[in-house]
């Protein structure tokens, strides 16, 4: 049998411990599948004395992850610490510079520095693999780079942050407001160390940047993503969207258009009976559209010890089999600069307005929308007890810039008492 594939693991938190457990539990299975035994040589984390629920005594301990990355007795460096800079970046660079392959679950690192790391890996003849970085246990990177390699991809979209989907579906089912659910997620340990990464849409946008790069052959372009979080979604929006046959989801969309590459991560209304509309809790879903395959839908756990470690091990097994696919599915030096679309694809929008309950208020709103070129498809006024009336409007398709012009007009009129809420309606 070939010599063992020797691993160094930096980061022994949720994911790192999950990886150690799989390697210990499935040693024989992994060898049978890859033809090589897979062995952990050394590990690193901040606190050597922390109880981690797994026996680490047979592995060497490195205090410094960069020293671990440079060890002569490892073949693959597994980075599971997190963070777009700091030790994650320096240790991955050190690993590549000393001839190691790299496996990471770190979407922030790759969304920001993926291009330079991919170039460094290719120059060194090594691989950077990151299945666990996008949609946890769902093998979406493998699907895009390998299974769908024969397709021209036109659109990739999905729900890629489990925490936000958990909050939005609990708002719907439990009648709890955003703030209460944010607190619940904090208690359950669902939030990233910086919660704005989750609820601000940034974590999901990191993931979208990586999918988009593979799908469209462009350098990861996180800065080109239009990002909006879920913090301003109210229970009223959840109820009223449901009333009109929609669910609110933090939806990522990357699509090729004649105007350039469109990338957005924002709360959207999707039909309640669509697969994405039906997605509950922390589950993720990614939809990929290609010219040959038409559409495929991938669904599964987007986070957690087992699912994320499962994805890491898929990458490790590929390396054990000698499979070294370019990081973003083609030579890094051949990736083009993304050309962001200056205007988005037109879509219908949901508008929620608090209207002063006075004669002529509705007429003013209709005139502002009409003057801006925004056409009303449906409208409802809800029962109210105070001086403002909640009015919900669904527009016909319009561009975001046309809508923004109308929203400025609505903000300027006294007929509208509060900041208008505008959410895109996406056909999925
Ligand atoms: P975590 O539970 O917070 O664990 C992080 C680990 O890194 C800890 O063991 C920590 O050491 C270690 N660490 C941090 N800074 C270090 C440093 N300077 N030197 C050495 N070790 C250091 O994080 P996680 O949830 O496992 O996530 C790891 C990575 O996977 C992140 O990139 C994350 O975005 C990604 N990811 C996580 C999930 C998930 O469900 N958790 C899903 C997909 C992707 P101590 O334990 O000693 O503090
Ligand atoms: N915070 C992320 C989520 C973890 O909620 O989906 C997995 O990347």
């Amino acid at each position: 049998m070939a010599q063992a594939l020797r691993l160094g693991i930096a980061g022994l938190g949720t994911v790192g411990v999950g990886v150690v457990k799989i390697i210990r539990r499935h040693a024989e299975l992994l060898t049978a599948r890859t033809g090589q035994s897979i062995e952990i040589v050394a590990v690193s984390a901040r606190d050597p004395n922390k109880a981690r629920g797994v026996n680490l005594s047979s592995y060497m301990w490195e205090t410094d992850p960069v020293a671990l990355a440079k060890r002569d007795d490892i073949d693959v460096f597994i980075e599971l610490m997190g963070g777009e800079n700091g030790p994650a970046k320096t240790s991955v660079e050190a690993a590549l510079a000393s001839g190691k392959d790299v496996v990471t679950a770190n979407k922030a690192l790759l969304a920001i520095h993926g291009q330079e790391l991919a170039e460094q890996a290719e120059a060194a003849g090594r691989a950077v693999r990151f299945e666990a970085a996008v949609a946890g246990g769902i093998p979406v990177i493998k699907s895009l780079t390998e299974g769908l390699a024969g397709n021209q991809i036109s659109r990739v979209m999905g729900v890629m942050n489990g925490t936000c989907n958990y909050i939005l579906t609990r708002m719907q089912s439990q009648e709890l407001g955003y703030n209460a659910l944010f607190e619940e997620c904090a208690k359950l340990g669902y939030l990233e160390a910086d919660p704005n990464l989750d609820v601000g849409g940034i974590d999901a946008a990191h993931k979208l940047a990586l999918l988009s790069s593979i799908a469209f052959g462009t350098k990861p372009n996180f800065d080109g993503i239009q990002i909006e979080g879920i913090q301003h979604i109210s229970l009223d929006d959840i109820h009223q969207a449901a009333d009109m046959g929609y669910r609110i989801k933090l939806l990522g969309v990357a699509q090729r258009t004649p105007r350039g590459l469109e990338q957005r991560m924002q709360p959207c209304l999707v039909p309640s009976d669509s697969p994405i509309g039906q997605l509950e809790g922390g589950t993720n879903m990614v939809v990929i559209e290609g010219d040959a395959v038409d559409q495929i839908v991938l669904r599964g756990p987007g986070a957690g010890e087992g699912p994320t470690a499962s994805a890491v091990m898929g990458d490790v097994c590929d390396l054990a089999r000698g499979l070294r696919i370019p990081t973003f599915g083609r030579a890094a030096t051949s990736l083009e600069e993304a050309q962001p679309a200056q205007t988005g694809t037109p879509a219908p929008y949901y508008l929620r307005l608090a209207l002063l309950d006075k004669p002529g208020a509705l007429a003013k709103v209709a005139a502002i929308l009409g003057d801006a070129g925004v056409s009303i498809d449906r409208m409802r006024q809800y029962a109210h007890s105070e001086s403002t009336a909640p009015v919900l409007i669904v527009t016909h398709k319009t561009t975001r810039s046309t809508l923004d012009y109308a929203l400025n007009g609505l903000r300027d009129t006294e007929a509208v008492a509060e900041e208008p809420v505008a959410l895109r309606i996406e056909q999925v």
Side-chain angles (χ1 to χ4, degrees):
M1 190 188 300
Q3 191 199 343
L5 187 78
R6 301 162 303 172
L7 312 180
I9 303 178
L12 294 167
T14 306
V15 187
V17 163
V19 170
V20 174
K21 283 183 186 168
I22 292 181
I23 291 171
R24 295 178 77 88
R25 187 164 80 234
H26 290 318
E28 280 181 28
L29 181 69
L30 294 168
T31 305
R33 287 198 172 140
T34 64
Q36 213 178 2
S37 72
I38 293 174
E39 291 174 6
I40 301 169
V41 171
V43 295
S44 177
R46 278 177 299 215
D47 180 355
N49 301 315
K50 196 190 262 187
R52 299 179 191 272
V54 66
N55 184 356
L56 300 169
S57 58
S58 50
Y59 316 135
M60 276 172 282
W61 183 273
E62 285 280 4
T63 313
D64 176 9
V66 174
L68 173 62
K70 289 180 177 169
R71 284 178 72 108
D72 288 336
D73 56 358
I74 68 162
D75 305 303
V76 179
F77 177 67
I78 305 187
E79 186 283 303
L80 301 171
M81 296 176 286
E84 73 183 58
N85 289 305
K89 180 162 181 276
T90 49
S91 61
V92 166
E93 287 168 342
L96 294 172
S98 55
K100 316 294 187 316
D101 292 307
V102 170
V103 175
T104 179
N106 190 335
K107 53 260 174 174
L109 173 73
L110 290 181
I112 308 300
H113 303 295
Q115 180 64 27
E116 61 200 74
L117 293 173
E119 287 182 18
Q120 190 190 344
E122 279 168 35
R126 309 321 298 178
V128 175
R129 305 295 305 261
F130 60 96
E131 184 64 74
V134 182
I138 304 177
V140 60
I141 302 299
K142 208 167 179 58
S143 299
L144 259 181
T145 48
E146 297 178 51
L148 299 174
N151 285 260
Q152 180 84 263
I153 304 294
S154 51
R155 184 162 76 151
V156 180
M157 66 182 166
V159 169
M160 301 167 205
N161 183 277
T163 306
C164 288
N165 203 53
Y166 179 86
I167 291 176
L168 292 171
T169 49
R170 294 266 297 165
M171 282 173 86
Q172 174 103 36
S173 62
Q174 302 297 313
E175 296 276 320
L176 291 169
Y178 171 84
N179 290 333
L181 284 162
F182 182 90
E183 293 308 320
E184 184 176 307
C185 283
K187 281 195 192 113
L188 291 168
Y190 286 1
L191 293 168
E192 299 275 341
D194 171 3
N196 191 46
L197 291 176
D198 284 315
V199 295
I202 299 160
D203 167 84
H206 285 146
K207 296 166 182 168
L208 186 70
L210 300 177
L211 294 183
S212 191
S213 171
I214 302 169
F216 305 117
T218 49
K219 296 177 184 176
N221 181 223
F222 174 73
D223 290 341
I225 304 179
Q226 183 193 332
I227 305 174
E228 206 183 309
I230 64 163
Q231 304 95 323
H232 62 283
I233 302 295
S234 69
L235 261 180
D236 283 347
D237 293 319
I238 297 277
H239 289 149
Q240 287 157 12
D243 223 17
M244 310 280 278
Y246 296 106
R247 292 272 166 84
I248 300 178
K249 297 286 170 193
L250 178 67
L251 188 72
V253 179
Q255 64 186 21
R256 193 197 287 280
T257 77
R259 301 173 315 284
L261 178 62
E262 246 182 87
Q263 299 184 97
R264 49 178 185 274
M265 181 60 67
Q266 57 189 180
C268 289
L269 272 65
V270 299
S272 301
D273 57 0
S274 63
I276 289 182
Q278 295 281 307
L279 196 67
E280 298 285 330
T283 311
N284 282 196
M285 181 174 281
V286 182
V287 178
I288 305 171
E289 292 168 357
D291 60 347
V293 75
D294 193 13
Q295 185 185 74
I296 65 159
V297 179
L298 301 167
R299 178 185 186 282
E305 179 184 301
T308 315
S310 159
V312 170
M313 288 312 299
D315 285 342
V316 170
C317 287
D318 272 357
L319 293 172
R321 292 168 173 138
L323 191 62
R324 283 195 181 73
I325 297 204
T327 311
F328 297 110
R330 63 177 80 183
T333 46
S334 77
L335 293 167
E336 292 172 6
E337 291 292 342
Q339 302 297 333
Q342 296 306 314
T343 52
T345 304
Y349 280 83
Y350 156 104
L351 300 181
R352 181 165 58 80
L353 307 173
L355 232 60
L356 276 192
D357 200 4
K358 287 192 175 160
L362 200 52
K364 272 195 187 140
V365 167
I368 290 166
L369 291 175
D371 289 348
V374 177
S375 168
I376 296 172
D377 179 21
R378 285 181 281 163
M379 195 172 72
R380 272 183 202 173
Q381 179 168 319
Y382 285 84
H384 57 98
S385 52
E386 301 188 5
S387 57
T388 61
V391 168
L392 198 150
I393 293 172
V394 172
T395 73
H396 283 291
K397 279 188 184 176
T398 183
T399 61
R400 182 70 212 200
S401 52
T402 304
L403 186 79
D404 283 341
Y405 182 79
L407 287 172
N408 281 336
L410 292 172
R411 285 184 193 106
D412 285 348
T413 172
E414 285 178 359
V416 176
E418 292 169 18
E419 175 65 17
V421 173
L423 299 171
R424 187 181 170 97
I425 301 177
E426 196 77 41
Q427 287 313 314
V428 295

